[in-house]
Amino acid sequence: MKAIIQRVSRATVTVDGEQVSSIGRGLCVLLGISAEDTQRDADYIVRKILNLRLFEDENRRAWSKSVMDRDFEVLCVSQFTLQCILKGNKPDFHSAMPAELAQPFYNSILENMRSVYKPELIKDGKFGALMQVNIQNDGPVTIELSSPTGPTDPKQLSKQEKQQQRKEKTRSKGPSESGRDKGALRSRQDPNASSGAEGDVSSEREP
């Protein structure tokens, strides 16, 4: 799944001369769904859209707050052309999810966003329509996002999840505790080894 996320001052969607959606300050998201996408891809994209820190805080410190932190709006527009593969100079869209499958999947992504954030702040274009999208990019700030590709085999997925859990446990261990563990290990291995004083080439750095 691919998303082009733009920080905007305002954005509107017009269909057949009629404005169907608009937002003020917030994010305009162009979303391209591939034929291989699953709920895992959707969950990843939704989480990133709502939590990317693209806005300043109350002290005007940049890159500090997410769209949810600031109570700003999100305008999502389905755009299958993001799944383009060029054949020479001609765009090919066979990797995009077919419309009859993409529409309910896209709608479920919107519902997911609305369940996590304030539903009245999640706006939408018109799926499958020829839209005029007016984007007033603020910055400009544009983020290109793709959901991570990974194995589809359940055993491989389970292995990845266990590896991720081990990494998180390692990160959660405080540096002082980790340092004591390593110091104790060195003492058992070599009673004369230094405990990390200057010039101790046997000491290890915390990863």
Side-chain angles (χ1 to χ4, degrees):
M1 189 175 296
K2 296 181 180 180
I4 302 297
I5 303 170
Q6 298 181 73
R7 188 179 73 184
V8 299
S9 301
R10 63 187 300 271
T12 62
V13 177
T14 302
V15 178
D16 294 331
E18 179 183 353
Q19 183 175 291
V20 298
S21 195
S22 68
I23 62 169
R25 198 165 183 210
L27 299 176
C28 182
V29 181
L30 308 178
L31 194 63
I33 302 172
S34 85
E36 304 298 321
D37 284 336
T38 67
Q39 190 59 46
R40 292 169 65 93
D41 299 279
D43 292 343
Y44 174 88
I45 292 291
V46 168
R47 185 169 66 252
K48 287 297 183 184
I49 290 170
L50 296 179
N51 289 284
L52 280 173
R53 293 185 295 178
L54 301 181
F55 300 93
E56 73 279 2
D57 62 14
E58 58 276 5
N59 297 317
R60 303 194 65 79
R61 185 177 59 183
W63 319 113
S64 299
K65 297 292 184 179
S66 69
V67 70
M68 292 199 298
D69 293 331
R70 296 299 306 271
D71 284 335
F72 289 157
E73 296 174 287
V74 179
L75 173 60
C76 286
V77 178
S78 176
Q79 188 167 6
F80 71 90
T81 59
L82 288 176
Q83 296 295 337
C84 165
I85 297 174
L86 288 179
K87 293 187 174 180
N89 291 322
K90 182 179 180 180
D92 182 280
F93 305 112
H94 283 94
S95 64
M97 185 176 287
E100 63 272 15
L101 299 176
Q103 184 167 10
F105 192 26
Y106 174 71
N107 289 338
S108 73
I109 292 171
L110 293 175
E111 289 307 310
N112 189 356
M113 277 195 208
R114 289 173 178 140
S115 69
V116 175
Y117 189 33
K118 298 176 181 178
E120 68 275 12
L121 298 182
I122 305 296
K123 306 294 180 63
D124 181 25
K126 187 174 181 181
F127 188 93
L130 182 62
M131 294 175 275
Q132 303 297 316
V133 184
N134 187 295
I135 299 170
Q136 188 170 309
N137 196 314
D138 177 23
V141 173
T142 302
I143 304 295
E144 183 179 356
L145 189 64
S146 297
S147 58
T149 56
T152 56
D153 180 70
K155 290 183 180 179
Q156 284 294 99
L157 290 172
S158 178
K159 184 177 179 181
Q160 273 194 349
E161 288 168 358
K162 287 179 181 178
Q163 288 174 342
Q164 184 62 29
Q165 288 171 1
R166 284 197 293 271
K167 286 180 182 178
E168 290 172 358
K169 286 180 181 178
T170 302
R171 290 194 204 104
S172 65
K173 183 181 274 191
S176 59
E177 181 184 349
S178 179
R180 285 196 301 270
D181 291 346
K182 289 184 177 180
L185 178 60
R186 286 197 299 272
S187 297
R188 288 195 297 269
Q189 291 174 341
D190 182 359
N192 297 318
S194 168
S195 60
E198 186 177 354
D200 175 21
V201 297
S202 67
S203 62
E204 300 177 4
R205 285 189 178 182
E206 187 70 16

